Amino acid sequence: MTAESAKPPASRRTFLAGTGAAAAGTAAAALLDGPLAGTAQAAGPVCPPGQFAPVPKRALGPPVNADGYFVGQIKGDLYWVTDSFYTAMFLTTQDGVVLVDAPPTIGHNLLRAIGAVTQANGRPSLVTHLVYSHSHADHIGASSLLGSDVVRIGHSECRTLLLRDNDPNRPSPEVTFEDRHTLTVGGQTLELAFHGPNHTPDNIFIWAPGQQTLMLVDVIFPRWAPFKNVAVSQDIPAWIRAQDIAMSYPWHTLVAGHLGRLGTRADAELQIAYVADLQASARATLQNLNPTPFFKKYGDNAWAIFKAYLDAASAQAAAPVTQKYLGKLAAADVFTFDNAFAVLESLRIDGGVLGPFGDHP
Ligand SMILES: [Zn+2]
């Protein structure tokens, strides 16, 4: 693909290149200082503070061009674009382009990518429709770049949230739906569906039947451990179920919204196994980690008891899972502690698996 002459500022690329290093190592560092440092170190691989295991090659996507993006064909008129941190998808049609999400880190490169593709395939380059996967600014914060004439489409709750946020970069969608919406533009179709809250109360499934491609954002992270605290999801049992709902679609390709590659069904199965292992490990930890030392050590400081217990429980639950998936899921050593914490808390407060904080004998 040829790129247009305008280039993003060098500072953006420099900034993005530095983010991986900047985000390094709070969990491991905290564990090494904690009261159960010995337990955590003995139970699994621990890199020195601020350092993590190398990312497996297969977790990485194609290299970005000089402008900082990669655009590729998925199938037929369906394309994806990435800056290797976020992904978006677009459908070229005889009547204009349907774009799904507008991540601000890709920003103006969305228009460069669409321009390059439509110049090559002879379709009109104007984006006529913009679908929002959900309301979060990191996925749709470049919406305003598409102007005021584009038809914005999202779940009704997405509209409610965006009216609340009142962010000029994220105009609320004027076309909304509750359960299902079929979007047909220039003979091409996307089927939008809401299967209940998961990552957010408005996160939808975007199905391209003609291209056997599903876009689902912030639920499956192909070949990577899920982002911190199970992708900072608001409903963790429903987020876990959303993985299975995704598998009920007959997709061949997944556009996941994050990182720099597409997903296969094998990638999704691997994450489902990771989450199941994390749940089993968290459940076992709640049943067998003795809270007595924490009560003794922290006395009348109730929050200190809970924090130290939950930190130790997260370390214990994470250790075997990190060990099992290191080398299979990139950054398993970065976020499994935080993911274990989120799964533990959800088991306690959603699942009623209260461990030592259940009925007083
Ligand atoms: Zn999100």
Side-chain angles (χ1 to χ4, degrees):
M1 293 294 166
T2 46
E4 289 178 27
S5 55
K7 289 193 171 10
S11 59
R12 160 58 59 81
R13 291 197 293 270
T14 312
F15 166 74
L16 287 177
T19 50
T26 50
L31 285 173
L32 289 171
D33 293 339
L36 295 187
T39 313
Q41 288 185 65
V46 176
C47 286
Q51 290 183 33
F52 294 109
V55 170
K57 284 265 183 296
R58 67 185 303 175
L60 298 172
V64 298
N65 63 17
D67 283 336
Y69 74 90
F70 171 87
V71 63
Q73 185 181 37
I74 296 174
K75 189 178 179 188
D77 284 305
L78 189 66
Y79 296 81
W80 69 294
V81 55
T82 183
D83 61 355
S84 75
F85 295 90
Y86 284 85
T87 56
M89 173 174 98
F90 61 93
L91 193 53
T92 64
T93 83
Q94 59 201 18
D95 293 341
V97 174
V98 180
L99 174 63
V100 186
D101 280 358
T105 62
I106 307 178
H108 288 90
N109 278 337
L110 290 165
L111 298 173
R112 292 190 185 92
I114 289 166
V117 164
T118 51
Q119 197 169 26
N121 74 6
R123 303 281 199 189
S125 64
L126 183 71
V127 179
T128 56
H129 296 76
L130 174 58
V131 175
Y132 289 166
S133 65
H134 65 302
S135 70
H136 282 170
D138 62 328
H139 292 280
I140 62 163
S143 172
S144 57
L145 298 182
L146 282 307
S148 54
D149 289 339
V150 69
V151 177
R152 293 177 169 86
I153 304 156
H155 188 258
S156 60
E157 185 63 21
C158 180
R159 177 175 167 82
T160 303
L161 290 166
L162 289 175
L163 289 173
R164 175 202 69 181
D165 293 345
N166 194 28
D167 176 357
N169 294 321
R170 288 176 289 156
S172 60
E174 54 269 29
V175 175
T176 63
F177 65 97
E178 295 296 328
D179 297 324
R180 283 174 189 281
H181 180 84
T182 300
L183 176 64
T184 303
V185 179
Q188 301 278 354
T189 298
L190 291 180
E191 289 175 7
L192 316 182
F194 179 66
H195 296 292
N198 46 68
H199 165 67
T200 55
D202 66 331
N203 201 27
I204 62 168
F205 292 65
I206 300 123
W207 169 234
Q211 293 80 15
Q212 292 168 299
T213 296
L214 180 70
M215 183 161 171
L216 174 64
V217 172
D218 286 335
V219 174
I220 290 165
F221 298 81
R223 290 283 158 182
W224 287 73
F227 186 77
K228 186 179 171 94
N229 290 1
V230 192
V232 273
S233 292
Q234 287 165 269
D235 186 334
I236 288 172
W239 180 92
I240 292 169
R241 273 199 305 280
Q243 300 177 113
D244 299 325
I245 296 169
M247 297 310 282
S248 73
Y249 284 80
W251 53 270
H252 289 180
T253 305
L254 181 76
V255 181
H258 274 282
L259 304 159
R261 76 200 279 291
L262 299 169
T264 65
R265 295 188 76 88
D267 297 337
E269 298 283 10
L270 186 61
Q271 177 181 307
I272 289 168
Y274 166 90
V275 172
D277 283 340
L278 205 48
Q279 282 182 291
S281 187
R283 189 178 287 271
T285 298
L286 281 172
Q287 279 153 3
N288 68 26
L289 181 62
N290 180 6
T292 309
F294 305 97
F295 283 100
K296 277 191 181 147
K297 177 163 183 176
Y298 293 107
D300 61 1
N301 191 339
W303 275 177
I305 293 166
F306 268 89
K307 176 177 167 47
Y309 177 84
L310 290 172
D311 282 353
S314 301
Q316 182 176 317
V321 181
T322 302
Q323 197 156 40
K324 180 172 175 181
Y325 288 91
L326 207 55
K328 297 190 180 99
L329 286 179
D333 55 336
V334 177
F335 279 142
T336 299
F337 172 88
D338 302 288
N339 289 336
F341 173 82
V343 167
L344 270 163
E345 265 307 88
S346 175
L347 267 179
R348 279 174 9 93
I349 63 179
D350 301 319
V353 182
L354 291 165
F357 305 106
D359 286 340
H360 193 285

